[in-house]
């Protein structure tokens, strides 16, 4: 019993058995978003929302209002889905639209055709996948619906831009591997 208490005190003091300092956990540093990527993401998301607006009822709204009205869930919806562990229809609608918008921005930025597939079941488990050829650029596991439902535009844009940057960085990393035969030639 005393040994584990000593370990706990050593960890709290920042020391380990070897005497080296333990790096304390910190929150993820919030970095600035690329404004061009954020604007492209908002534009793509609004285009996708316009395609679902069959009669053009919300066509005259500015992008922020359009996203708030047609895409974001209300805080009550979020509380309800947190309470009963069931995913609302609003969340099941958000997931594929968001990943389609991310794929569209990645296509613009890279020039490669990027496809998306995303789904979430009624229990909140699912997957969002962005790929080009045989290269998977972004793979996000959705557990208990997290990070969905989005209730603020800022969090939605941040999530989308971070996924775009992650996918483009991965594509750039493997561009030289696929330069000889294209993206469809990777084996394994």
């Amino acid at each position: 019993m005393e040994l584990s208490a000593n370990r706990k005190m050593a960890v709290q003091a920042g020391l380990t058995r070897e005497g080296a300092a333990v790096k304390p956990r910190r929150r993820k540093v919030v970095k600035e978003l690329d404004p061009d990527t954020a604007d492209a993401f908002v534009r793509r998301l609004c285009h996708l929302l316009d395609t679902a607006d069959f009669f053009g009822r919300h066509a005259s709204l500015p992008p922020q209002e359009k996203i708030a009205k047609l895409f974001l869930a209300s805080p009550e919806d979020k509380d309800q889905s947190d309470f009963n562990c069931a995913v609302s229809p609003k969340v099941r609608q958000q997931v594929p639209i968001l990943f389609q918008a991310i794929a569209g921005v990645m296509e613009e930025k890279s020039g490669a055709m990027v496809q998306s597939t995303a789904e979430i079941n009624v229990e909140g488990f699912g997957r969002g996948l962005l790929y080009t050829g045989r290269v998977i650029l972004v793979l996000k596991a959705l557990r208990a619906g997290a990070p969905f439902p989005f209730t603020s535009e800022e969090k939605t844009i941040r999530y989308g831009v971070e996924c775009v940057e992650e996918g483009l960085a991965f594509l750039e990393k493997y561009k030289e591997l696929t330069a000889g035969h294209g993206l469809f030639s990777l084996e394994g």
Side-chain angles (χ1 to χ4, degrees):
M1 182 82 162
E2 190 173 320
L3 181 62
S4 63
N6 287 338
R7 280 189 196 160
K8 183 177 179 181
M9 292 187 66
V11 169
Q12 287 176 348
L15 302 174
T16 61
R17 285 187 183 200
E18 294 82 26
V22 175
K23 188 175 180 181
R25 287 188 182 180
R26 290 204 166 78
R27 277 193 169 165
K28 187 177 171 184
V29 176
V30 178
K31 65 177 189 167
E32 283 292 316
L33 296 178
D34 180 30
D36 294 334
T37 307
D39 290 340
F41 177 73
V42 168
R43 184 175 32 80
R44 283 288 181 159
L45 187 58
C46 286
H47 285 306
L48 288 168
L49 294 173
D50 284 339
T51 59
D53 186 17
F54 300 114
F55 300 110
R57 293 183 181 132
H58 303 95
S60 62
L61 293 176
Q64 288 77 18
E65 287 182 41
K66 191 179 293 185
I67 291 171
K69 193 168 220 169
L70 298 175
F71 185 74
L72 298 178
S74 68
E76 293 82 24
D77 290 339
K78 184 174 174 94
D79 290 341
Q80 182 182 5
S81 66
D82 288 345
F83 176 71
N84 64 7
C85 298
V87 176
S88 69
K90 187 81 167 182
V91 173
R92 295 191 72 183
Q93 182 185 20
Q94 274 185 350
V95 173
I97 291 174
L98 182 77
F99 282 99
Q100 287 174 358
I102 293 168
V105 174
M106 288 175 64
E107 281 182 355
E108 281 182 26
K109 299 274 184 186
S110 68
M113 187 169 137
V114 178
Q115 289 113 3
S116 72
T117 180
E119 62 183 1
I120 189 168
N121 65 15
V122 294
E123 295 173 348
F125 296 98
R127 179 169 291 128
L129 176 69
L130 300 168
Y131 60 97
T132 180
R134 290 186 179 180
V135 179
I136 296 174
L137 302 174
V138 176
L139 177 64
K140 296 288 183 183
L142 308 173
R143 290 184 175 88
F148 296 91
F150 286 111
T151 56
S152 78
E153 182 185 6
E154 179 186 342
K155 288 182 181 179
T156 306
I157 293 171
R158 179 165 298 283
Y159 185 82
V161 170
E162 286 175 356
C163 285
V164 168
E165 291 171 352
E166 176 185 339
L168 291 176
F170 196 80
L171 184 63
E172 188 64 33
K173 180 179 177 182
Y174 287 95
K175 195 168 244 178
E176 61 189 44
L177 287 175
T178 61
H181 303 286
L183 293 171
F184 295 107
S185 67
L186 287 177
E187 294 296 325

